[in-house]
Amino acid sequence: MVLQRRLNYGFSGYEVPAVPRASRSPRGRVPIRKKRDDNRIPAIEILACVAGKLLQDAENSSPNAACREEWDNIFENTIKCKQGHHQRYNEDEAKVSKRDPCEQEICKENFTCEFSRVPGLQGHRQSYKVSEFSRAQGNFGFKTNSTSYFADHSRVGRYSSNSVEFFRGHVDRVIETKSEAKLFRPSDKISFAPQTRGFFRGQIDSVTERKYEAKPSIIGTNKSEIFPVKGSLDTLELNLKPPSPVRPESDLKASLFRCRKTCGSYSRRCANAEVDIRDVDENSVCCPQPSRPIPNIVEQSIRNFSTSRQWRGAPNLKGGACRRTDWKRKPAYCNGRPCHTRQRSQRISPYKRRKFFDRIPLPTLDGRFHHKPTFNSPYKRGNGDNCNGANGASSSAAGQQALPKSTSRDCNVKLSIKSFTVPELLIEIPSTATIGSLKRAVMEVVTANLGDGLHVGVILQGKSVRDDNKTLFQTGIYHDDDHRSLGFILEPNHAPISSHPQAEDPHLLSGSRPQDLMRRTTSLTLQPKPSDFSSLPPVMNLHSSVDNNFDVVCSLTDISTNNAMPNSQALFAVPAITMEALPVVPLQQNPRHPEFVQRRTRRPFSVSEVEALVQAVEKFGTGRWRDVKLLAFDSAKHRTYVDLKDKWKTLVHTARISLQQRRGEPVPQQLLDRVLAAHAFWSHHQAKQQSN
DNA sequence: ATTAGGG
DNA sequence: CCCTAAT
């Protein structure tokens, strides 16, 4: 245990990228040199000041060292800023009230600070939300936007735009992008990742708004939890108050406890809180009972993840094979893992979310799939307290226990499976192909995905029923009145774990017509690790809640019960916990995680496409990629304007290099000449425009 | 949402 | 093709 970890940040050592990115032209057409308002200060400076002080004070004052030790956090800050008058100020002027950081995290407090005596900031108020993102060892940080983000003891990174974050302590590195790395040492001061600059004006505001808009419930607070400000002296004073009206310090623990309890946050602050996982039965896993030690289940699942996860970016890092492994597997570390990063798994920008869902199996929303769900979907959408899928499962189990023996045993169970639903399969076939060859192609894809042998899995109320020896009655299938709670999954006959993700995706049977071949992108990028999601059937197909990604996680997790995973049950505790109590479990394998997102398949431009592109660019010039897209590639859904821009870039490059250096399908020289000509022309044109 | 540019 | 910053 690293109990004596020290805070190694300060306010003099942070690096803020000084040079703003080269001015861009609005919409890329007419470059405009915009003068920066020198009086503005980067939001991160203020944030660093505030949050740093907050943490510093908290660490100095927290009565519970073990707690502190455990709270290796990443704080998330949400900035709400309504004014734009900022002047540089001395960071030392910031002062933050001393509070236990645990309190903040558990309660998910919002707080408001007011710049009282800071020149130019007087009267300016900001509300922040401090929330836990990760309690991984040695980290903390925060960010101000809503895009996805990750961090743990061995890596810190982000995958977001316009984010603001910093880290301290044992952070080894910050990954800027997959190809960029920045090393951090424990002695580092706060360092700001380059490219994470935000100004109070404009964008952070909007990002904040978007976040609230996207998921009002994730805020987990209400107006009463936004605390008024008390200005004082020459300081920027921050008042942090727990939601409870009771303030006395002596009440802190009690209120903490209450909060933890009510929020469903299960904080493990003591090392002795570990509980044998065997002590936890299936039901409680899925449905936390008040008396059950849920946090430990969660932790168990965290362990599962942490031992299996991989970070594919790691080997490529500059600076370093020095990935920390020395302490990462220490029990202390495991025990210290967070149990309730509530928002994290919801945090995803609409864009990222869409991006993700574009690539995972989803029901086609054409109505055919809107039949009744195969099982009772207890999932609720949108309000953040969803993820009761496991509740459904456990309640069924509970119902099973309570089932009176007098229930008619000879009552036949009538089931009808009207069709197999095979999720999306991508098939590309020329229009000249015959229907017969199309059928064969479909068959090929299906068999490739399902493998030779099929196994039927049974799902009852969201929970996979693995015990083949149980009777229907024992399992709880004794009425025929609601077979919506019953579902079937097609699975490969064996080896739930396969390195071939497509072959291991069991597919769901559901009640639509046989002709309804549901489409499904076959490629969730699943890591072939035994205990990750790769063994989870895409039962999310049942849920059409496209925009509630948490539902997907729920269904993913609570349905899969893989016998090859001894602790798999622990995994499925996750959805049973309310939003407030969500652990960081999906940190790595979270399908929403950018690491999880599959790269698009490469689709080289054909010569005719190139021709169309050249023609369009000749007409519109470089920098009007939307127009180019609309003109020449409107029907080509897979070609985005970014693609076209990229292709043009490579075309220009290709035209400039020698024939031998070129790769891929050769582009006629004549076309390349046009590329160069158009490029030269429009470059010149742009330069002229700019000078005017 | 678009565009520019680095990777 | 990906990713981010800046519009």
Side-chain angles (χ1 to χ4, degrees), chain A residues 84-381:
Chain A
H85 307 293
H86 308 288
Q87 290 185 355
R88 192 164 290 279
Y89 67 98
N90 184 346
E91 303 86 27
D92 292 331
E93 290 175 2
K95 187 180 176 184
V96 176
S97 64
K98 298 180 177 181
R99 293 285 179 179
D100 186 339
C102 300
E103 175 190 349
Q104 299 154 24
E105 296 199 3
I106 289 165
C107 299
K108 286 291 179 276
E109 289 189 1
N110 275 22
F111 59 92
T112 305
C113 70
E114 181 168 357
F115 300 87
S116 56
R117 293 285 192 92
V118 179
L121 293 178
Q122 279 179 359
H124 177 73
R125 292 168 65 120
Q126 275 190 281
S127 73
Y128 297 84
K129 183 160 68 69
V130 177
S131 60
E132 176 191 21
F133 238 127
S134 164
R135 289 191 291 154
Q137 190 105 16
N139 291 354
F140 81 75
F142 57 87
K143 65 165 202 152
T144 59
N145 73 354
S146 60
T147 47
S148 53
Y149 177 89
F150 59 92
D152 70 13
H153 60 284
S154 63
R155 63 194 176 87
V156 174
R158 67 183 158 72
Y159 189 96
S160 59
S161 59
N162 306 326
S163 67
V164 173
E165 63 208 58
F166 66 89
F167 309 97
R168 69 155 185 212
H170 299 287
V171 176
D172 281 341
R173 59 180 66 91
V174 170
I175 304 307
E176 294 309 320
T177 67
K178 62 185 174 185
S179 54
E180 227 180 313
K182 177 167 183 169
L183 286 176
F184 277 69
R185 294 202 201 96
S187 58
D188 280 350
K189 307 287 187 184
I190 290 177
S191 292
F192 294 129
Q195 302 178 334
T196 56
R197 190 175 57 259
F199 290 89
F200 274 132
R201 284 181 185 166
Q203 74 189 75
I204 292 182
D205 241 2
S206 64
V207 171
T208 301
E209 293 306 315
R210 195 165 55 194
K211 178 194 282 187
Y212 277 77
E213 180 185 293
K215 280 270 179 189
S217 63
I218 65 175
I219 301 309
T221 184
N222 52 44
K223 281 171 186 165
S224 69
E225 288 174 321
I226 295 177
F227 307 105
V229 174
K230 288 178 185 170
S232 80
L233 302 180
D234 293 321
T235 65
L236 156 67
E237 178 158 336
L238 194 64
N239 268 344
L240 273 172
K241 296 174 191 169
S244 159
V246 186
R247 279 300 83 87
E249 204 62 25
S250 55
D251 272 350
L252 186 57
K253 279 185 180 174
S255 85
L256 268 178
F257 189 74
R258 276 198 305 276
C259 179
R260 208 175 300 141
K261 216 175 164 185
T262 51
C263 296
S265 283
Y266 303 95
S267 172
R268 288 192 66 261
R269 304 172 64 157
C270 309
N272 61 5
E274 186 165 3
V275 170
D276 193 330
I277 191 67
R278 291 167 300 181
D279 199 30
V280 181
D281 66 32
E282 221 174 89
N283 294 343
S284 68
V285 163
C286 295
C287 178
Q289 309 294 317
S291 59
R292 287 291 185 174
I294 297 304
N296 308 287
I297 306 165
V298 172
E299 245 171 56
Q300 186 67 35
S301 57
I302 292 171
R303 275 184 218 116
N304 290 341
F305 277 100
S306 58
T307 52
S308 67
R309 66 191 179 201
Q310 284 185 323
W311 181 34
R312 79 178 182 207
N316 301 326
L317 294 176
K318 286 180 249 169
C322 56
R323 196 175 163 195
R324 290 185 80 112
T325 53
D326 47 349
W327 43 266
K328 78 172 179 184
R329 287 180 199 279
K330 281 180 186 174
Y333 167 69
C334 290
N335 295 342
R337 288 306 297 265
C339 298
H340 55 281
T341 297
R342 306 171 206 178
Q343 282 95 356
R344 188 187 193 292
S345 44
Q346 305 175 59
R347 287 275 156 74
I348 184 166
S349 71
Y351 175 71
K352 296 289 182 192
R353 181 181 307 165
R354 186 186 69 222
K355 197 170 172 187
F356 170 67
F357 278 99
D358 281 347
R359 296 167 186 193
I360 62 172
L362 280 177
T364 52
L365 301 175
D366 56 4
R368 288 179 300 170
F369 204 56
H370 287 303
H371 56 72
K372 300 171 264 186
T374 306
F375 53 87
N376 277 336
S377 172
Y379 308 104
K380 292 185 176 128
R381 293 186 53 176

Side-chain angles (χ1 to χ4, degrees), chain A residues 607-648:
Chain A
V607 173
S608 56
E609 281 181 304
V610 170
E611 175 139 26
L613 176 61
V614 171
Q615 196 173 331
V617 173
E618 282 172 342
K619 177 174 179 183
F620 291 119
T622 57
R624 294 177 63 185
W625 301 111
R626 182 175 172 273
D627 295 331
V628 170
K629 158 78 177 166
L630 291 178
L631 176 74
F633 292 85
D634 200 21
S635 55
K637 299 299 175 204
H638 59 291
R639 302 293 189 203
T640 68
Y641 45 74
V642 176
D643 293 332
L644 302 179
K645 183 262 302 174
D646 286 344
K647 180 56 185 175
W648 183 260

Side-chain angles (χ1 to χ4, degrees), chain A residues 1 19 80 114 119 126 171 188 217 236 241 266 408 411 419 428 468 482 503-504 523 541 559 569 581 652 668:
Chain A
M1 301 255 302
V19 184
K80 268 185 150 180
E114 181 168 357
Q126 275 190 281
V171 176
D188 280 350
S217 63
L236 156 67
K241 296 174 191 169
Y266 303 95
S408 59
C411 175
S419 75
E428 233 180 295
D468 289 346
D482 191 9
E504 69 188 283
S523 42
N541 286 299
I559 282 170
Q569 293 299 340
V652 171

Side-chain angles (χ1 to χ4, degrees), chain A residues 545-561:
Chain A
S545 48
V546 175
D547 41 10
N548 189 340
N549 31 60
F550 201 76
D551 280 346
V552 173
V553 173
C554 292
S555 40
L556 262 179
T557 46
D558 81 272
I559 282 170
S560 168
T561 55

